[in-house]
């Protein structure tokens, strides 16, 4: 992160970047999910569904992308021939 800040012509002490990064991670880890008057069962179902969409849905998409990279180019495309 310090390198990225420096890339935009702003130099700060590395310990300040480390402290800000650490505090942001701590603040992000605190589970502040407002109930907003939602019944307990519906709130749990909503949070679990959100976790499924937010965390698990990208996993199979990434797996398919990885497999497509390992498979190589599509077979129907013409390959350039070497002159000669």
């Amino acid at each position: 992160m310090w390198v990225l800040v420096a890339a935009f012509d702003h130099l700060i002490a590395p310990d300040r970047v480390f402290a800000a990064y650490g505090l942001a991670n701590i603040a992000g880890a605190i589970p502040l999910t407002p109930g907003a008057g939602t019944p307990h069962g519906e709130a749990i179902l909503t949070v679990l569904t959100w976790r499924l969409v937010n965390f698990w849905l990208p996993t199979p998409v990434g797996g398919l992308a990885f497999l497509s990279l390992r498979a190589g180019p599509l077979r129907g495309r013409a390959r350039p021939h070497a002159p000669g």
Side-chain angles (χ1 to χ4, degrees):
M1 186 175 290
W2 180 84
V3 171
L4 292 175
V5 171
F8 294 106
D9 294 328
H10 185 75
L11 297 176
I12 57 176
D15 59 336
R16 294 188 70 164
V17 175
F18 181 72
Y21 182 77
L23 289 173
N25 279 321
I26 290 170
I30 298 172
L32 297 175
T33 307
T38 306
H40 189 68
E42 285 82 358
I44 290 175
L45 185 60
T46 301
V47 169
L48 290 177
T49 304
W50 173 251
R51 299 277 185 191
L52 177 73
V53 170
N54 192 34
F55 180 73
W56 290 107
L57 188 61
T59 301
V61 173
L64 290 172
F66 175 74
L67 290 175
S68 74
L69 290 173
R70 293 200 47 155
L74 296 176
R75 295 175 193 248
R77 293 185 182 174
R79 293 183 183 171
H81 295 286

